[in-house]
Amino acid sequence: LETRVTVLENGLRVASQNKFGQFCTVGLLINSGSRHEAKYLSGISHFLEKLAFSSTAQFGSKDEILLTLEKHGGICDCQASRDTIMYAVSADAKGLDTVVNLLADVALQPRLSDEEIEMTRAAIRFELEDLNMRPDPEPLLTEMIHAAAYRDNTVGLNRFCPVENTDKIDREVLHSYLRNYYTPDRMVLAGVGIEHEQLVECAKKHLLGVEPVWGSGQTKDVDRSVAQYTGGIVKVEKDMSDVSLGPTPIPELTHIMIGLESCSFLEEDFIPFAVLNMMMGGGGSFSAGGPGKGMFTRLYLNVLNRHHWMYNATSYHHSYEDTGLLCIHASADPKQVREMVEIITREFILMAGAVGEVELERAKTQLKSMLMMNLESRPVIFEDVGRQVLATNTRKLPHELCALISQVKSTDIKRVVTKMLHKKPAVAALGDLTDLPTYEHIQAALSSKDGRLPRMYRLFR
């Protein structure tokens, strides 16, 4: 089924894909996120995410919104990321008019009462506290690796609101930000499971000529800066010995993430990088699964199966419209940190070596199957439609992406890796860092032929 796109007079894009079934998923995606907060207090997007679906001009409270949705069997959600904020509703397709009216009201007419802002402050403080106590440090490490890779710019800015900013963000600050970023030309109304003409009619009715609660003044502080990859290291010394207590506590671990700049999702090299990420794969030592779960990926075969003391080795690929980051996260006992860093840097070096035909085909097949499996879900199709149209005004359909994946050759993998290895690394380290090699040594290891730490360093440790 094709994805249809219509641009309204005010610049708002309406994108839809029909899908059989009683329910639909509709939402507003806005080109606004933590990367746009350079001229503002960090944490505004985090506040907006928590304040979403609260009282508006038409709805007196969150309960009223939920009761309205309940009549159509609906649920709502808001998610803010580094570059997008997404308000979404899944409901019976017959309630489309109500849903679009609600979305318009939530995005453009929020009351942002003092009481709601105070409750949001409390929720954010609790979330930040919880974040630091979690046994799984994945969200923290992701923040740290971005901060190291793009120091003080764009996607390197903090996605979570810093504690010191929770009291500084008020209605005035939020309105100032919203005035610049919540404009129709930065929005996409996306829908899956509804007729395109019907969605366009609803958009014209509820989103054309609407005066936002903050007024329609001239936008003057829109941040259009392009991501500047810097590389670097962010370290947080932390006692992880009591992360989880109880009869079978999780052992004390030190977590390391090493990353290198890849490419944006708009570039042709994005597909080879996605295949490379799949080829590296990995996971936790104690995750159950078989070949379908990636047990034949490099990080399982070369790292987890050979070094019993490694608890985790996983590859991640973060991609944005102007940059990207390929990283490997590894966890081990603090005494093994030096050896763990050496093993991970060696894996980066080996990426530039020979790529087996069977290995490459397996990675391509796994990527295609994962893509198709994810797109079985209506909310995932909705997000895919919205994000692609927001970034490119069109959408590449699954069969087009599968064709591009099939075309990837081993020479493409080698080319993108060679380009990537010329960059400075980004390093994030969390836990007991007594034995952590210096940034200079990690950089030297990545530029050596075997990924080993310099010999003098190894002798004197």
Side-chain angles (χ1 to χ4, degrees):
L1 292 164
E2 65 165 334
T3 302
R4 294 176 62 190
V5 182
T6 300
V7 183
L8 303 186
E9 298 93 281
N10 61 356
L12 177 95
R13 285 155 287 176
V14 181
S16 77
Q17 181 176 312
N18 214 336
K19 187 172 165 55
F20 302 107
Q22 184 186 347
F23 281 78
C24 66
T25 300
V26 183
L28 265 177
L29 288 93
I30 302 160
N31 186 7
S32 150
S34 57
R35 71 168 295 163
H36 300 107
E37 292 170 3
K39 298 171 184 173
Y40 290 89
L41 288 168
S42 189
I44 291 176
S45 300
H46 196 182
F47 259 78
L48 291 171
E49 179 186 53
K50 292 273 175 281
L51 283 161
F53 296 99
S54 296
S55 65
T56 68
Q58 287 181 48
F59 301 92
S61 67
K62 194 170 200 140
D63 292 344
E64 229 175 279
I65 288 175
L66 296 175
L67 283 168
T68 305
L69 284 173
E70 209 173 274
K71 289 172 191 166
H72 303 284
I75 53 168
C76 60
D77 185 30
C78 177
Q79 289 179 7
S81 61
R82 293 179 194 284
D83 51 4
T84 315
I85 190 159
M86 182 170 70
Y87 299 86
V89 172
S90 283
D92 192 308
K94 289 177 188 150
L96 181 65
D97 191 69
T98 307
V99 167
V100 177
N101 175 35
L102 170 66
L103 285 165
D105 216 40
V106 162
L108 301 173
Q109 307 280 337
R111 278 198 189 150
L112 307 179
S113 68
D114 293 340
E115 188 187 350
E116 285 166 354
I117 289 173
E118 204 45 62
M119 282 171 70
T120 300
R121 285 185 182 130
I124 285 173
R125 284 192 201 108
F126 175 79
E127 192 177 327
L128 294 173
E129 221 170 282
D130 177 59
L131 206 61
N132 286 309
M133 288 162 64
R134 271 193 214 173
D136 171 30
E138 194 54 51
L140 269 181
L141 279 166
T142 304
E143 282 309 300
M144 289 162 66
I145 196 83
H146 278 83
Y150 307 92
R151 197 167 285 279
D152 299 328
N153 77 86
T154 58
V155 292
L157 299 174
N158 204 329
R159 197 168 70 80
F160 299 108
C161 180
V163 180
E164 63 274 13
N165 285 359
T166 50
D167 287 326
K168 295 175 188 169
I169 294 173
D170 55 22
R171 193 192 293 115
E172 200 178 316
V173 172
L174 292 168
H175 276 186
S176 164
Y177 179 86
L178 291 164
R179 191 173 294 114
N180 286 313
Y181 290 101
Y182 276 41
T183 54
D185 57 305
R186 299 178 73 89
M187 293 182 184
V188 168
L189 177 69
V192 174
I194 26 89
E195 294 292 337
H196 186 70
E197 287 76 17
Q198 207 183 343
L199 187 63
V200 172
E201 281 309 307
C202 289
K204 284 178 178 172
K205 183 177 169 185
H206 300 294
L207 285 155
L208 257 187
V210 178
E211 175 81 10
V213 73
W214 47 84
S216 52
Q218 197 63 35
T219 59
K220 56 181 187 297
D221 277 334
V222 176
D223 183 52
R224 291 195 171 85
S225 48
V226 176
Q228 302 298 313
Y229 181 83
T230 58
I233 186 165
V234 171
K235 299 188 286 187
V236 175
E237 282 270 3
K238 192 177 173 194
D239 179 12
M240 306 283 273
S241 57
D242 59 350
V243 164
S244 70
L245 304 170
T248 53
I250 292 173
E252 182 184 354
L253 299 174
T254 293
H255 302 271
I256 305 291
M257 206 180 253
I258 298 175
L260 290 164
E261 189 182 22
S262 58
C263 73
S264 93
F265 56 66
L266 300 175
E267 292 176 52
E268 282 181 14
D269 283 344
F270 173 67
I271 300 290
F273 268 117
V275 174
L276 171 66
N277 181 49
M278 216 71 210
M279 206 166 75
M280 298 310 293
S285 296
F286 302 105
S287 69
K293 190 128 183 275
M295 298 301 261
F296 284 100
T297 58
R298 283 193 181 185
L299 292 178
Y300 264 116
L301 294 175
N302 303 350
V303 179
L304 294 167
N305 291 356
R306 292 186 185 183
H307 307 283
H308 66 90
W309 45 268
M310 292 267 286
Y311 279 77
N312 193 335
T314 315
S315 174
Y316 294 96
H317 188 214
H318 305 279
S319 202
Y320 306 95
E321 59 183 312
D322 51 0
T323 186
L325 193 63
L326 184 85
C327 34
I328 296 175
H329 165 211
S331 311
D333 185 275
K335 294 183 185 68
Q336 315 263 185
V337 170
R338 186 198 58 74
E339 201 176 340
M340 172 168 69
V341 170
E342 195 169 295
I343 288 162
I344 297 306
T345 48
R346 199 177 304 146
E347 284 307 309
F348 271 110
I349 302 296
L350 289 172
M351 286 180 194
V355 177
E357 200 53 47
V358 174
E359 177 186 38
L360 182 63
E361 283 307 312
R362 183 183 282 120
K364 281 154 60 171
T365 305
Q366 198 177 346
L367 182 59
K368 283 189 272 192
S369 70
M370 201 169 99
L371 174 74
M372 300 310 280
M373 192 169 69
N374 284 337
L375 290 171
E376 291 278 309
S377 159
R378 191 184 60 250
V380 174
I381 299 174
F382 154 76
E383 191 173 339
D384 184 47
V385 168
R387 283 183 182 276
Q388 284 203 50
V389 172
L390 193 64
T392 64
N393 295 321
T394 58
R395 178 182 180 230
K396 271 198 176 82
L397 294 170
H399 67 266
E400 294 175 71
L401 291 169
C402 286
L404 290 170
I405 292 166
S406 298
Q407 288 165 22
V408 175
K409 300 182 179 69
S410 56
T411 50
D412 297 323
I413 301 288
K414 202 162 183 174
R415 186 187 76 252
V416 296
V417 172
T418 308
K419 192 168 79 173
M420 181 175 72
L421 285 170
H422 284 127
K423 305 277 173 67
K424 282 172 68 178
V427 182
L430 178 71
D432 178 351
L433 309 177
T434 315
D435 287 344
L436 179 73
T438 64
Y439 178 73
E440 288 71 25
H441 283 120
I442 296 171
Q443 196 175 352
L446 273 169
S447 55
S448 70
K449 284 186 178 142
D450 60 358
R452 285 178 175 272
L453 293 168
R455 185 166 175 273
M456 288 300 287
Y457 176 78
R458 285 183 289 139
L459 287 174
F460 289 111
R461 288 308 275 189

